[in-house]
mmCIF file of all heavy atoms in Angstrom:
data_model
loop_
_atom_site.group_PDB
_atom_site.id
_atom_site.type_symbol
_atom_site.label_atom_id
_atom_site.label_comp_id
_atom_site.label_asym_id
_atom_site.label_seq_id
_atom_site.Cartn_x
_atom_site.Cartn_y
_atom_site.Cartn_z
ATOM 1 N N TYR J 12 62.310 75.543 -25.401
ATOM 2 C CA TYR J 12 62.714 76.947 -25.437
ATOM 3 C C TYR J 12 63.013 77.435 -24.035
ATOM 4 O O TYR J 12 62.369 77.029 -23.073
ATOM 5 C CB TYR J 12 61.581 77.824 -26.004
ATOM 6 C CG TYR J 12 61.229 77.500 -27.423
ATOM 7 C CD1 TYR J 12 60.368 76.458 -27.730
ATOM 8 C CD2 TYR J 12 61.764 78.243 -28.468
ATOM 9 C CE1 TYR J 12 60.037 76.161 -29.041
ATOM 10 C CE2 TYR J 12 61.440 77.960 -29.788
ATOM 11 C CZ TYR J 12 60.578 76.913 -30.055
ATOM 12 O OH TYR J 12 60.269 76.619 -31.359
ATOM 13 N N THR J 25 57.914 73.937 -23.659
ATOM 14 C CA THR J 25 57.831 73.197 -24.916
ATOM 15 C C THR J 25 57.345 74.151 -25.991
ATOM 16 O O THR J 25 56.875 75.258 -25.693
ATOM 17 C CB THR J 25 56.854 72.015 -24.805
ATOM 18 O OG1 THR J 25 55.540 72.531 -24.615
ATOM 19 C CG2 THR J 25 57.233 71.074 -23.672
ATOM 20 N N GLY J 26 57.410 73.731 -27.233
ATOM 21 C CA GLY J 26 56.929 74.552 -28.335
ATOM 22 C C GLY J 26 55.463 74.897 -28.191
ATOM 23 O O GLY J 26 55.049 76.028 -28.462
ATOM 24 N N ILE J 27 54.660 73.948 -27.758
ATOM 25 C CA ILE J 27 53.220 74.180 -27.581
ATOM 26 C C ILE J 27 52.960 75.168 -26.447
ATOM 27 O O ILE J 27 52.129 76.057 -26.568
ATOM 28 C CB ILE J 27 52.483 72.847 -27.350
ATOM 29 C CG1 ILE J 27 52.542 72.021 -28.635
ATOM 30 C CG2 ILE J 27 51.050 73.072 -26.905
ATOM 31 C CD1 ILE J 27 52.030 70.619 -28.508
ATOM 32 N N GLU J 28 53.692 75.021 -25.346
ATOM 33 C CA GLU J 28 53.530 75.948 -24.220
ATOM 34 C C GLU J 28 53.911 77.371 -24.627
ATOM 35 O O GLU J 28 53.239 78.332 -24.249
ATOM 36 C CB GLU J 28 54.380 75.499 -23.034
ATOM 37 C CG GLU J 28 53.904 74.227 -22.387
ATOM 38 C CD GLU J 28 54.885 73.661 -21.385
ATOM 39 O OE1 GLU J 28 56.112 73.885 -21.525
ATOM 40 O OE2 GLU J 28 54.427 72.968 -20.453
ATOM 41 N N LEU J 29 54.986 77.504 -25.410
ATOM 42 C CA LEU J 29 55.392 78.830 -25.877
ATOM 43 C C LEU J 29 54.336 79.413 -26.811
ATOM 44 O O LEU J 29 54.003 80.603 -26.718
ATOM 45 C CB LEU J 29 56.749 78.774 -26.570
ATOM 46 C CG LEU J 29 57.253 80.104 -27.128
ATOM 47 C CD1 LEU J 29 57.326 81.192 -26.063
ATOM 48 C CD2 LEU J 29 58.596 79.920 -27.808
ATOM 49 N N LEU J 30 53.779 78.587 -27.703
ATOM 50 C CA LEU J 30 52.711 79.080 -28.581
ATOM 51 C C LEU J 30 51.535 79.611 -27.780
ATOM 52 O O LEU J 30 50.975 80.664 -28.103
ATOM 53 C CB LEU J 30 52.227 77.968 -29.511
ATOM 54 C CG LEU J 30 53.056 77.709 -30.752
ATOM 55 C CD1 LEU J 30 52.503 76.508 -31.518
ATOM 56 C CD2 LEU J 30 53.125 78.927 -31.637
ATOM 57 N N GLU J 31 51.149 78.908 -26.732
ATOM 58 C CA GLU J 31 50.036 79.355 -25.885
ATOM 59 C C GLU J 31 50.354 80.688 -25.224
ATOM 60 O O GLU J 31 49.514 81.585 -25.172
ATOM 61 C CB GLU J 31 49.720 78.301 -24.826
ATOM 62 C CG GLU J 31 49.114 77.044 -25.388
ATOM 63 C CD GLU J 31 48.986 75.921 -24.369
ATOM 64 O OE1 GLU J 31 49.336 76.135 -23.184
ATOM 65 O OE2 GLU J 31 48.545 74.836 -24.765
ATOM 66 N N LYS J 32 51.583 80.822 -24.725
ATOM 67 C CA LYS J 32 51.997 82.064 -24.070
ATOM 68 C C LYS J 32 51.990 83.225 -25.067
ATOM 69 O O LYS J 32 51.474 84.303 -24.787
ATOM 70 C CB LYS J 32 53.382 81.884 -23.452
ATOM 71 C CG LYS J 32 53.848 83.039 -22.614
ATOM 72 C CD LYS J 32 55.147 82.665 -21.923
ATOM 73 C CE LYS J 32 55.472 83.585 -20.790
ATOM 74 N NZ LYS J 32 54.593 83.508 -19.650
ATOM 75 N N LEU J 33 52.540 83.001 -26.264
ATOM 76 C CA LEU J 33 52.567 84.045 -27.283
ATOM 77 C C LEU J 33 51.158 84.393 -27.750
ATOM 78 O O LEU J 33 50.840 85.568 -27.970
ATOM 79 C CB LEU J 33 53.430 83.613 -28.470
ATOM 80 C CG LEU J 33 54.922 83.485 -28.187
ATOM 81 C CD1 LEU J 33 55.649 82.896 -29.399
ATOM 82 C CD2 LEU J 33 55.529 84.808 -27.770
ATOM 83 N N ARG J 62 56.671 82.814 -33.145
ATOM 84 C CA ARG J 62 57.599 81.870 -32.521
ATOM 85 C C ARG J 62 58.705 81.436 -33.480
ATOM 86 O O ARG J 62 59.873 81.368 -33.105
ATOM 87 C CB ARG J 62 56.854 80.632 -32.031
ATOM 88 C CG ARG J 62 57.783 79.644 -31.315
ATOM 89 C CD ARG J 62 57.197 78.295 -31.146
ATOM 90 N NE ARG J 62 57.053 77.664 -32.463
ATOM 91 C CZ ARG J 62 56.509 76.469 -32.648
ATOM 92 N NH1 ARG J 62 56.038 75.804 -31.631
ATOM 93 N NH2 ARG J 62 56.406 75.967 -33.851
#
Side-chain angles (χ1 to χ4, degrees):
Y12 297 83
T25 66
I27 292 172
E28 291 170 332
L29 179 56
L30 278 176
E31 291 172 2
K32 187 173 196 68
L33 292 173
R62 183 195 67 183

